[in-house]
Structure formats: structure tokens, C-alpha cells
Amino acid sequence: MSARTIQDQAVACKTFVQQAAHADAIAPVGARRGTAMFSTKSKRGHTPGATEDQYFEAVDTSLPPVVRVDAASLMRISRQLETIAKRQGPRIAFKAKGTILLLNLFDIVAVQAEGNYVSLQHRPHPYLVHESLSSMANKLKPYGFIRIHRSVVVNISAVEEIQPLPTGEYRLLVRGGKEYLVTRTYKHNLRDLAQLWVGTEWLCG
């Protein structure tokens, strides 16, 4: 499962609980308590004993009653789901200072070439790994990383904004506020930043 898939699932869970909170807030009192609802219609002779102009139609109450949950509880559940999704996401293992460190790929916003090393751009500080950028790009591609420069690979889930430049290049703003340049050689990879493009057909052409 890719880091982007994990993130999408967490976002979907958060959206669900927010919608549930909204629905609970606007639901009629009777519906929240699971009580029967009745309506009147004009129809003659529908049921014995009914008046000439009215009859009562019981709404189906076979569905389970709605359980009320306050908004604070829903948001707490949402945060817990995000934490679980993040914990179960793919991780990268590498040597650093005589030990093997494990990092969630979601937390790495980019990978930059640094001579014979690559720098994993991870907050609060980066990590150096003795490997080529080309090798890292191939290993990280299945997990939602794209190459945007001969010396930079970015995590598509970390990209928040694309800025076209007069030179035909692009500037990416990623999570945390850092910016990266997309050269014309790799701009076609920007198509992978989103599954759906709306009103931006000219972009990345």
C-alpha cells in the first residue's frame, strides 16, 4: 500500500466523521431518538376508523436507532484513525550513526542528492544516506515519489501548490513551506500529482 493511499484513507475517515457530526446536528429530535414518525395524507376510506379526509401512515422504524455522538468525540476518533493509518504506512530503513533508523515515508517530503549521498528531507532535521539519487528514485517511485530535477525527488503527498514560471519550469511548494524547482525535463511527472485535473488542461502539457 502506497503512502498516498494511506493518506487518502485517513482523509476519507476524517471526512466521514465530519459529515456524521453535521448530520447528527441537523437531524430531527424524533429521528435521533429512534421514535416513529407519522404523516397525514388526503385519501378517503384508506383505513377503518380513519376520518374522511385523513389517514395516518407510519414511517418504517425497522432501521436501528441513531446513536448520538458529540462532535468532540468524532474529531478524537478522526485523529486516532489518522494516527493508525500513519503508523501502518510504509517505512524506510537506513543506517545512521551506527544504528538502523525507521522512518515513515509520509514524513519525508523530498530526497536531494548530496554528492555520493542523498539527503532525506525529514522534519525536524534531514538524514544522509549513502546511496545514489537514481537508485532512491526507483525504490521510492511505487510509494508516490516523483523526480522533478536531476538532483531532487519529491513526495507527491507533500506537494501543496504548483507555480508556473515564465521559463517553462515550475515551482513546487511542499508541506512545511519549502520550495523546489521542477525543470522542463521532468515536468511531465507533474501529472502524477493528482488523479483528477479540473480546468488546468494547459498545465504540464
Side-chain angles (χ1 to χ4, degrees):
M1 185 179 293
S2 69
R4 186 173 182 82
T5 301
I6 292 294
Q7 184 195 31
D8 291 343
Q9 289 179 347
V11 171
C13 289
K14 185 174 182 179
T15 301
F16 170 77
V17 296
Q18 288 174 340
Q19 290 175 344
H22 177 69
D24 182 66
I26 65 175
V29 173
R32 290 201 298 263
R33 293 177 180 172
T35 58
M37 306 272 302
F38 297 90
S39 62
T40 60
K41 294 183 180 179
S42 175
K43 187 174 181 180
R44 299 192 178 195
H46 180 70
T47 53
T51 64
E52 213 173 50
D53 297 318
Q54 289 185 325
Y55 76 97
F56 289 96
E57 179 183 7
V59 175
D60 182 12
T61 59
S62 60
L63 295 175
V66 176
V67 178
R68 297 195 64 185
V69 181
D70 61 271
S73 295
L74 288 171
M75 293 308 298
R76 184 172 62 254
I77 293 171
S78 173
R79 289 192 293 269
Q80 290 173 349
L81 289 173
E82 289 178 345
T83 300
I84 292 172
K86 186 175 178 180
R87 187 186 307 127
Q88 294 179 343
R91 298 196 294 177
I92 183 172
F94 59 94
K95 284 185 178 182
K97 297 181 180 179
T99 62
I100 296 178
L101 294 181
L102 297 169
L103 297 180
N104 288 309
L105 287 178
F106 177 78
D107 294 330
I108 300 174
V109 299
V111 180
Q112 291 182 261
E114 298 282 351
N116 295 327
Y117 292 79
V118 291
S119 175
L120 306 181
Q121 299 301 302
H122 176 275
R123 298 184 68 182
H125 55 78
Y127 293 93
L128 282 177
V129 179
H130 191 269
E131 191 155 354
S132 70
L133 186 68
S134 295
S135 175
M136 286 294 293
N138 291 332
K139 291 178 180 179
L140 294 174
K141 186 176 181 180
Y143 301 100
F145 285 73
I146 61 172
R147 192 144 185 187
I148 61 168
H149 190 279
R150 62 184 180 85
S151 61
V152 179
V153 173
V154 298
N155 185 345
I156 60 177
S157 66
V159 178
E160 297 179 340
E161 188 176 320
I162 306 173
Q163 299 174 353
L165 301 176
T167 59
E169 299 172 320
Y170 295 87
R171 182 183 295 115
L172 297 187
L173 179 65
V174 301
R175 183 175 63 243
K178 194 164 184 177
E179 297 179 351
Y180 292 96
L181 181 68
V182 183
T183 60
R184 286 177 289 183
T185 302
Y186 297 100
K187 69 177 184 179
H188 63 279
N189 288 338
L190 293 182
R191 293 184 182 275
D192 295 332
L193 290 176
Q195 286 74 41
L196 179 64
W197 293 86
V198 179
T200 55
E201 290 79 6
W202 55 271
L203 185 63
C204 315

